[in-house]
């Protein structure tokens, strides 16, 4: 049985204390003033983690139970795009399934939205959406892991009180596409929390923090009871003052951050490991092999010089698109090289 | 001038820009000798400024393939290098490096190299800190840190990601620390970036400049546009300049928020300071005690195509700068010398990163072309003769006093820049870090009890302090930064005021009073400060911002100010326009209101517009402009008012013309017409003012005014020539349509009519009866043994319509065409927007022609390459200028010529002969970025092809192959597809092999040292000559004043460009037979002589006296502003003239008697000593 560690933030404490706070906007102001108060009184913000309490919650839906032959695609914004640089999520998933051949691909795109806004390149936005869907289709996935929310929460017009409908609509359509057309199972990831950093004014950070929480709540509702939901927001809020830090800029995970969240993701996709798992140097080798595969795969699906290989100047270098396609067998080889390394 | 016989309708030489995919055609190395990578050989090939010396500072194995470099405060040079570029081999590891080079024994040569980081992916930017550096790594901006002090990076942080990689020669690059402590960098035209930062998402589609604050992780777009922005530097005052590695506007004054060339989705862009210049990359502002006095604050940039480094002197002029080119810094005849970055060093010398490659990257060259150098690279060092180097200083070890000293004494720019960065960093974490050291410095440098504190010091110091204050955990000291900014504004120099205005805009959201603090500076005595205030207000979204910004109009304006005010009006339109409509703000000055309303092309200006028209203080000019706007956006009833004014006899003809044109545009673009009074237009067709008549005809057509038909038919069928209404009348009849129009056209197409008239009738018929017109056209061609003038225009009437080709094919069935005529028809069909193979085949069959000439075989190419070496560039230039080849119409050299294809100024220096030949024969193979065409099909079935000049939600503007701007409403577009090269295939088919060789020889010499290199002198290269019809000549002989020449019809002025040498060939000038004005200006018509009337334009950026230098005054008369300007003949036969010019555009009219001149006219614009006047020739129209 999965035990989910859940955080209750100050906001929840305030709610427990029956302070009328049904409108998150009021909450924001209140939250803000609490912190301005702390701020003015030179109370170190370090007290914040102390205000977190840990509670136990009922189990979420059963893990997906990945098995040999499954094909998983991760899609989302910068959270997803950067994960392959480190490879911890995939290494954690793979080591829990020793010897099983599972294909994992990443189609994350920086600052993307469920409408594929970042993928339009030279074209009008609908094209970005089309590219997003095609990039998923090409993987022929059995599982689609969707991680949008941070980019959305950072847009100028982000309104977590009244304005979340377009985002949730986009997410719903993406989920429907994955489950309908692709006939894949869907896992939804929440955005991570906005962790403390020296770059952002504390008041602004906490305001954003509230927004992310609201996004998380909406995504959890969308996931419902039938889909796996990974609450990275709550989990990462815990990492606010860990050493080494989980984030360099407060909103994106780094090597340590992806490592710290790997088991949560693997819990949802695989469940707890049933036997001994590869560790130590073995895990390092496994992670390195995953990264190598990821690098080849990135060069394949997001090749540099796209304009000349596939775009409107393909008459000049289109012959070299074949060079990119030569990556296909190399990626398969790299995949195959991972599987043996998953055995302890 | 009538086009004759073999005139081909489309552009030539479209694609000549870099090497094409010619390897398939050629044996390895044909046309480009890959040199031995010997550094001595390269050194020998430099021609260096007489004031400088050059030495090799670093080469392999110390480094390879440098792309960018920057110094750290210890005096070490950090270099980003890539052997992977331009594309990674599948399966290859990411293996590119950052190396640190040092000259440890100060002998002027690097002796130590350290690999700081490896495993990078085409790093194109590097900005060092003390033990760390920011690196551009494909999609990422990395921070690489050496945490354990072993000299190698062991920590890798992804700081930003999501930068596009659609083209590796456009990915983020050119890192430079700004004097404000922000990191500036650039991306180029094909890149689309989407970046999450803790402060928000930033998206930049297309080129532009980014700025990033490492202390807060704020990322901003500084400015947008440029094709390949590549080169960025700050001068000693702190002004920012940029260069474009694929644009032709030289140095750019980089103003925050401004859009430069090629910015997607904007209506108007701002230009660089040197239109017509070659592409430049890498930019540095030099100075210091180790360089000559005359080099202080000069800008150095690299003409990487022509293997040279050029120098500019900048000078404030109005709200912007002039950048005047000085003698070259160095040139090389070595084909692999590729200067890509240039930097001052710690010893006061100039360092040049030489990427070393015979092939420059462009998509046109195969990624795996063997001639690409993947291994070499050098850093060259330039030192001034007889100057001591600056003593090197490790500023990281310096005391606070020494850092302050380096900062406060800007005589050594390198030291000062490094000190700036150290100060900004330290102050950001400890606001008082330098307080004591500064106080001590001030005490020791006080004269007469008064500190000589540079203004900008305060600004930079405070920018660091402000960040600190905002982030500190203490309460915000409200108003504090504001006080500082205000105090600087009260007393500062223009740069200090400008920076403070930007700071105030930053602060405005937190401190409302910041915006009021900006207002007075819209009226500052300094034009640049006014401009900065106008731009600062654009960032404060309040209606008052616009009201205040418009006050800048009460002071002298210049094009840069005009652009910036326009930009502010547009950026704030959603704020001020509704407020104006609701009456919450008032813009009472009519000139202000006119500017504001004319700036925004929106329909919601109607209410304020109508209110404004009620105003009593309106000048006639303001009123006409407002009425024009009303015609642009107003409903039918509102147009009645415009028409009523246009019909008033007592109005100035120019104003009436403008209103009629506005009404025609409303009818054509928006299909809106006045509801009453339209029939009064008929009388205007016979107006006593001749200039109004054709416009009245045109408008009658736009309105489909049946009442005018009779009058129009009468004009159309008249037999005497010279009526300027005939063309518009016919057009109008076509728009009226119907059997009556067809009957009129039939009469005009009758065999008793002149050929040109018959052709026009058929062309017009094609708009309303395509099949009938096709039959008439084919019948005409079938009887034409030799091709006659005008048949290309005739056929184009069909090839630019979706159904046109098929109707011609039907008409051609069972018809025989004379072969010579058929050949011309084929070339027109091939040059169509969408060449139709069926049509080409049908014409070939009808004319019994064989198919098109296949491109040369590799052997034939090789033979041509050999011929080119012995061919004559002089003859080649004559071929280049042949009217029927139309090279000049589409391409410019030195900025003069057409804009349809790329400027060819340095094509010879950058492209090998094989590529040039392939581009002539197979123009589709390689097309320069920015010159890709699109094809649009309109809902009316018209087909247009052209280069996108601008594209917004409402409108696409294309430059077609004729160089004409075509505006298409987005709503009217039915289909869009990538177009072909505008340079048609088969252009050179009609040249002999020897002629092709001459032409290629000429092209191959362009930009190389010698006769075909465009020098730095400001030669007037773009002229217009009066080519008036014979009836005008009769008029002219009867006497016409100097002003009279300009009153002639625009269509009679024909563009003419000079030879590369700058001379206008005498024999190419069209002449009129005029009274001999030289000896006898009385207008005695019995004594006439062939005379050319030509004019040119100058852009005057600063009012005052400007000189002209002429190669000879023989047979020449110069007029400006209706006055004859005296020419002073010098001893050597050259001549000088002095003009006193106001800011703006000056038009110079010349009369030239070619027979009296032994050489073509060459005119140079020169600055005069002791004069503030500055002017440059206008190019690029």
């Amino acid at each position: 049985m999965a035990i989910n560690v859940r955080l209750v933030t100050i906001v929840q404490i305030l709610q427990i204390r029956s302070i009328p706070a049904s409108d998150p906007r009021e909450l924001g102001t209140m939250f803000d003033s609490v912190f301005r108060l702390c701020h003015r009184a030179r109370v170190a913000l370090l007290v914040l983690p102390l205000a977190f309490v840990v509670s136990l919650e009922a189990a979420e839906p059963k893990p997906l139970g990945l098995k040999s032959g499954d094909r998983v695609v991760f899609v989302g914004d910068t959270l997803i795009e950067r994960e392959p640089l480190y490879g911890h999520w995939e290494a954690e998933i793979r080591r829990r399934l020793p010897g099983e051949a599972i294909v994992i691909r990443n189609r994350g795109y920086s600052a993307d939205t469920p409408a594929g806004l970042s993928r339009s390149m030279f074209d009008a936005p609908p094209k970005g959406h089309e590219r997003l869907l095609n990039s998923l289709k090409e993987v022929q996935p059995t599982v689609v892991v969707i991680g949008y929310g941070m980019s959305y929460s950072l847009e100028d017009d982000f309104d977590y009180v009244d304005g979340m409908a377009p985002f949730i609509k986009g997410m719903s359509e993406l989920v429907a596409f994955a489950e309908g057309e692709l006939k894949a199972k869907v896992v939804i990831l929440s955005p991570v929390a906005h962790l403390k950093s020296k770059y952002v004014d504390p008041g602004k950070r906490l305001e954003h923090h509230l927004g992310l929480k609201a996004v998380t709540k909406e995504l959890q509702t969308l996931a419902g009871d039938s889909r796996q939901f990974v609450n990275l927001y709550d989990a990462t809020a815990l990492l606010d003052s860990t050493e080494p830090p989980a984030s360099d800029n407060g909103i994106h995970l780094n090597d340590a951050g992806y490592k710290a969240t790997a088991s949560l993701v693997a819990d949802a996709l695989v469940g707890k490991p049933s036997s001994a798992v590869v560790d130590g140097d073995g895990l390092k080798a496994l992670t390195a092999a995953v990264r190598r595969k990821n690098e080849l795969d990135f060069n394949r699906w997001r090749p540099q010089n796209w304009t000349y290989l596939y775009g409107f100047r393909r008459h000049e270098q289109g012959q070299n698109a074949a060079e990119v396609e030569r990556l296909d067998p190399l990626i398969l080889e790299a995949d195959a090289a991972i599987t043996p390394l998953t055995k302890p | 001038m009538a086009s004759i016989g073999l005139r081909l309708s489309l552009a030539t030489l479209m694609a000549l820009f870099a090497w094409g995919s010619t390897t398939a055609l050629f044996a390895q190395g044909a046309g480009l000798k890959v040199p031995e990578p010997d550094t001595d050989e390269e050194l020998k090939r430099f021609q260096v400024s007489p004031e400088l010396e050059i030495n090799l500072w670093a080469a392999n194995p110390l480094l390879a393939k440098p792309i960018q470099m920057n110094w750290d405060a210890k005096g070490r040079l950090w270099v980003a290098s890539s052997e992977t570029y331009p594309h990674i081999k599948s399966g290859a590891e990411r293996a590119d490096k950052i190396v640190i080079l040092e000259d440890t024994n100060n002998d002027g040569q690097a002796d130590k190299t350290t690999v700081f980081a490896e495993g990078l992916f085409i790093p194109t930017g590097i900005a060092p800190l003390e033990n760390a550096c920011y690196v551009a790594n494909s999609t990422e901006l990395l921070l690489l840190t050496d945490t354990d002090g072993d000299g190698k990076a062991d920590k890798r942080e992804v700081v930003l990601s999501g930068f596009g990689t659609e083209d590796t020669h456009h990915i983020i690059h050119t890192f430079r620390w700004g004097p404000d402590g922000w990191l500036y960098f650039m991306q180029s035209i094909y890149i689309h970036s989407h970046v999450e930062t803790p402060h928000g998402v930033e998206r930049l589609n297309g080129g532009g400049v980014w700025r990033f604050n490492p202390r807060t992780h704020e990322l901003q777009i500084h400015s947008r546009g440029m094709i390949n922005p590549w080169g960025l530097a700050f001068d000693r005052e702190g002004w920012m300049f940029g260069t474009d590695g694929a644009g032709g506007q030289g140095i750019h004054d980089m103003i925050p928020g401004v859009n430069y060339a090629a910015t997607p989705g904007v209506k108007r862009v701002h230009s660089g300071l040197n239109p017509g210049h070659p592409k430049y990359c890498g930019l540095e502002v030099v100075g210091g005690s180790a360089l000559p006095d005359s080099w202080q604050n000069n800008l150095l940039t690299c003409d990487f195509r022509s293997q040279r480094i050029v120098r500019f002197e900048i000078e404030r002029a109005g709200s912007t700068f002039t950048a005047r080119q000085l003698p070259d810094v160095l040139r090389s005849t070595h084909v692999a010398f590729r200067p890509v970055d240039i930097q001052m060093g710690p010893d006061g010398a100039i360092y040049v990163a030489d990427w070393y490659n015979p092939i420059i990257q462009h998509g046109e060259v195969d990624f795996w072309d063997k001639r690409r150098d993947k291994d070499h690279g050098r850093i060259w060092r330039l030192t001034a003769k007889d100057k001591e180097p600056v003593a090197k200083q490790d500023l990281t070890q310096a005391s606070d006093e020494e850092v302050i000293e380096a900062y406060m004494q800007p005589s050594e720019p390198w030291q000062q820049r490094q000190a700036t960065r150290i100060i900004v960093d330290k102050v950001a974490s400890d606001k008082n870090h330098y307080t004591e050291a500064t106080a001590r410095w001030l005490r020791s440098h006080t004269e007469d009890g008064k500190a000589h504190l540079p203004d900008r010091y305060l600004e930079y110091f405070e920018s660091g302090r402000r960040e600190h204050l905002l982030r500190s955990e203490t309460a915000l000291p409200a108003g504090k930064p504001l006080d500082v900014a205000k105090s600087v504004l009260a007393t500062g120099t223009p740069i200090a005021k400008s920076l403070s205005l930007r700071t105030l805009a930053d602060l405005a959201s937190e401190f409302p009073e910041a915006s009021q603090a900006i207002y007075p500076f819209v009226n500052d005595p300094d034009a640049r400060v006014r401009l900065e205030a106008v731009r600062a207000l654009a960032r404060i979204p309040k209606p008052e911002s616009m009201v205040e910004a418009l006050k800048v109009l009460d002071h002298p304006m210049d094009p840069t100010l005009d652009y910036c005010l326009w930009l502010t009006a547009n950026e704030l339109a959603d704020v001020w326009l509704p407020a104006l409509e609701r009456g919450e703000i008032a813009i009472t000055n009519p000139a202000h209101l006119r500017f504001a309303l004319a700036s925004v092309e929106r329909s919601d200006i109607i209410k304020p517009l109508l209110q404004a028209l009620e105003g009593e203080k309106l000048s006639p000019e303001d009123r006409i402009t407002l009425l024009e706007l009303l015609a642009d956006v107003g409903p039918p009833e509102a147009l009645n008012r415009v028409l009523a004014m246009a019909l008033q006899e007592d109005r100035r003809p120019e104003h009436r013309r403008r209103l009629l044109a506005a009404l025609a545009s409303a009818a054509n673009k928006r299909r809106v017409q006045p509801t009453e009074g339209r029939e009064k237009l008929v009388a205007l067709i016979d107006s006593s003012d001749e200039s109004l008549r054709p416009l009245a005809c045109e408008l009658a057509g736009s309105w489909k005014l049946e009442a005018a038909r009779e009058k129009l038919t009468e004009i159309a069928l008249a037999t005497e020539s010279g009526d300027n209404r005939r063309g518009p009348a016919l057009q109008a009849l076509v728009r009226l349509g119907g059997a009556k129009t067809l009957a009129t056209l039939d009469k005009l197409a009758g065999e008793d009519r002149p050929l040109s008239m018959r052709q026009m009738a058929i062309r017009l018929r094609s708009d309303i009866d395509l099949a009938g017109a096709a039959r008439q056209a084919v019948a005409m061609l079938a009887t034409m043994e030799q091709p006659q003038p005008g048949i290309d225009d005739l056929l184009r009437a069909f090839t630019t319509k979706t159904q046109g080709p098929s109707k011609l094919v039907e008409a051609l069935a069972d018809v025989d065409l004379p072969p010579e005529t058929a050949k011309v028809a084929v070339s027109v069909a091939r040059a169509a927007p969408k060449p139709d193979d069926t049509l080409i085949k049908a014409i070939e069959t009808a004319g019994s022609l064989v198919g098109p000439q296949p491109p040369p075989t590799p052997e034939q190419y090789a033979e041509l390459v050999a011929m080119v070496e012995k061919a004559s560039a002089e003859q080649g230039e004559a071929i280049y200028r042949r009217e029927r080849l139309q090279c000049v119409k589409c391409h410019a050299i030195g900025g003069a010529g057409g804009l349809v294809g790329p400027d060819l100024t340095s094509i010879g220096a950058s492209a090998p002969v094989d590529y040039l030949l392939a581009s002539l024969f197979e123009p589709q193979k390689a097309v320069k970025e920015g010159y890709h065409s699109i094809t649009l099909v309109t809902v009316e079935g018209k087909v247009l092809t052209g280069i996108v000049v601008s594209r917004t939600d409402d409108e696409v503007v294309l430059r077609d192959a004729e160089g004409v701007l075509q505006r298409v409403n987005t709503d009217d577009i039915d289909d869009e597809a990538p177009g072909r090269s505008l340079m048609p295939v088969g252009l050179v088919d009609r040249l002999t092999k020897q002629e092709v060789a001459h032409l290629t020889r000429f092209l191959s010499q362009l930009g190389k040292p010698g006769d075909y290199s465009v020098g730095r002198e400001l030669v007037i290269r773009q002229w217009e000559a009066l080519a008036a019809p014979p009836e005008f000549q009769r008029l002219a002989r009867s006497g016409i004043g100097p002003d009279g020449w300009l009153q002639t019809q625009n269509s009679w002025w024909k563009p003419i460009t000079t030879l590369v040498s700058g001379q206008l060939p005498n024999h190419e000038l069209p002449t009129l037979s005029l009274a001999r004005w030289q000896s006898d200006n009385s207008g005695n018509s019995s004594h006439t002589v062939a005379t050319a009337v030509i004019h040119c334009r100058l852009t005057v950026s600063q009012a005052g006296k400007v000189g002209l230098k002429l190669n000879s005054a023989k047979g020449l008369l110069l007029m400006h502003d209706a006055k004859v300007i005296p020419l002073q003949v010098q001893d050597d036969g050259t001549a000088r003239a002095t003009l006193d010019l106001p800011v703006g555009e000056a038009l110079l009219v010349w009369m030239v008697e070619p027979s009296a001149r032994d050489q073509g006219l060459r005119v140079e614009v020169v600055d005069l000593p002791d004069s503030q006047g500055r002017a440059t020739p206008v190019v690029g129209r």
Side-chain angles (χ1 to χ4, degrees), chain B residues 118-131:
Chain B
E118 297 176 86
L120 297 169
F121 194 24
I122 311 190
T124 40
I126 168 82
L129 301 161
E130 212 166 305
N131 292 308

Side-chain angles (χ1 to χ4, degrees), chain B residues 3-15:
Chain B
S3 54
I4 40 169
L6 303 176
R7 179 178 164 212
L8 293 171
S9 58
L10 280 184
T12 63
L13 302 181
M14 180 61 52

Side-chain angles (χ1 to χ4, degrees), chain B residues 293-338:
Chain B
D293 290 349
S294 60
W295 287 56
Q296 302 303 313
N297 211 37
N298 282 178
L299 270 59
L300 268 51
T301 183
C302 309
D303 178 354
F304 57 103
R305 292 164 185 278
S306 289
Q307 284 102 8
R308 60 179 190 150
I309 295 174
V310 294
R311 178 156 75 101
F312 289 87
E313 177 180 67
I314 45 164
E315 196 177 28
R316 278 288 313 279
S319 67
T320 179
F321 294 81
T322 55
R324 206 150 32 119
Q325 198 173 350
L326 299 170
D328 284 351
V329 177
L330 71 79
R331 299 195 74 135
S332 168
T333 55
H334 194 288
V335 68
F337 172 63
R338 297 293 178 190

